[in-house]
Amino acid sequence: MADTALVLGAGGLAGVGWEIGILHGLAEAGVDLSDADLVVGSSAGSVVGAQLTSGRFTLPELYTRQLADPTGEIPGRLGAALIVKYVRAVLGSRNPEAYGQKLGALALAADTLDEAERREVIAGRLVSDVWPERRLLVTAVDAVTGALRAFDADSGVPVVDAVAASCAVPGVWPAVTIEGRKWIDGGVHSCANAQLAAGHTRVVVLAPQPAGGGPLPSPRKQADALAAAGARVTLITPDADAKRAFGRKTLDPTRRAPAARAGLAQAAAHVDEVARIWKG
């Protein structure tokens, strides 16, 4: 049975930087999570997961990339009016699927840049469009039904398209067309989708967004459910310094570098707990 799982949650470009900073810091301290049997990535986590498992980058190289000028990135913005729509949708939804339907409708009606232009940005982040040999799950939500799907190497979908769908923040980026259907951000179903690590005995969850809301389970609730089923689980969320580094504009490419530095600094506080799980 597969043993270890790394869950990488949603959190914008700041979340990408923070997750890579955490992973780099842990590896420097002797706890390398890049050898996980399963990697689950949602939104920001799908970018990190695809990069981490691609074999194209070492963790030091990935970390250095976060500190470089964000050439090729397009700033995104979750404005106040859009946030209000999100809040109304979550408060008026009985389950994650209903919430996904509401945000799917919002995404399909939004005036955003072209799908192809957005795909180029994602391709620039990943470099490779080949699924890794290690098992990688990339989450996205059907914009019409609100159902969660986890794309993998057997899906027949190019990894760049899967990651673009997983990062398609409703109202900010275009919904992504795959197999004749439209797909939106995997973080719409939950911030972490840690339930997809069920069956693994050792699980580490990195969750840039620690909160749930309404029908959406928090990463903590999902981690507790895995633990109740017998897994050894640790959940890492941003500390106070990381939250300050994120700021309010997590989709702003300029937040990536300070978030990465904050993640690297925070990693030291988690080395022992992660080592007990990963090496135990």
Side-chain angles (χ1 to χ4, degrees):
M1 181 176 68
D3 191 23
T4 55
L6 173 62
V7 177
L8 301 166
L13 284 172
V16 170
W18 177 79
E19 288 178 350
I20 288 175
I22 289 281
L23 292 170
H24 179 43
L26 290 173
E28 282 196 322
V31 189
D32 188 351
L33 305 186
S34 65
D35 61 358
D37 296 309
L38 169 69
V39 177
V40 178
S42 296
S43 199
S46 72
V47 174
V48 178
Q51 291 176 331
L52 188 68
T53 58
S54 69
R56 298 294 187 95
F57 308 102
T58 65
L59 274 169
E61 288 170 341
L62 283 177
Y63 181 74
T64 299
R65 280 168 60 96
Q66 305 315 300
L67 307 183
D69 289 338
T71 304
E73 291 288 350
I74 301 172
R77 183 173 179 271
L78 274 169
L82 185 56
I83 292 173
V84 168
K85 292 179 181 179
Y86 276 39
V87 172
R88 288 176 177 168
V90 77
L91 293 177
S93 300
R94 65 189 182 280
N95 55 43
E97 289 74 23
Y99 180 59
Q101 289 176 347
K102 288 182 171 65
L103 288 199
L106 185 157
L108 296 178
D111 182 17
T112 64
L113 71 142
D114 184 74
E115 269 190 68
E117 186 177 357
R118 175 63 175 164
R119 190 185 193 279
E120 288 183 9
V121 173
I122 301 298
R125 292 179 191 171
L126 302 190
V127 178
S128 172
D129 199 11
V130 178
W131 284 92
E133 293 183 7
R134 191 171 316 119
R135 191 164 185 235
L136 170 66
L137 298 182
V138 172
T139 67
V141 169
D142 188 305
V144 175
T145 69
L148 179 71
R149 179 173 176 183
F151 293 98
D152 62 10
D154 296 328
S155 67
V157 174
V159 70
V160 169
D161 290 336
V163 172
S166 191
C167 294
V169 180
V172 178
W173 306 123
V176 173
T177 306
I178 296 175
E179 298 173 345
R181 302 192 68 83
K182 293 288 189 177
W183 300 87
I184 58 173
D185 198 303
V188 165
H189 194 268
S190 82
C191 292
N193 291 304
Q195 76 280 3
L196 296 176
H200 292 71
T201 59
R202 295 179 287 166
V203 183
V204 174
V205 181
L206 304 187
Q209 296 177 342
L216 306 183
S218 68
R220 169 52 64 193
K221 185 174 181 179
Q222 292 183 332
D224 289 346
L226 291 172
R232 299 173 63 190
V233 186
T234 190
L235 168 67
I236 301 176
T237 61
D239 62 12
D241 288 339
K243 290 177 182 178
R244 282 191 289 271
F246 277 38
R248 294 181 180 272
K249 299 178 180 180
T250 59
L251 301 181
D252 185 340
T254 64
R255 306 318 303 162
R256 195 176 63 183
R261 294 188 182 96
L264 180 64
Q266 183 182 345
H270 302 281
V271 171
D272 291 342
E273 66 181 282
V274 175
R276 282 195 296 271
I277 287 178
W278 213 250
K279 297 182 177 183

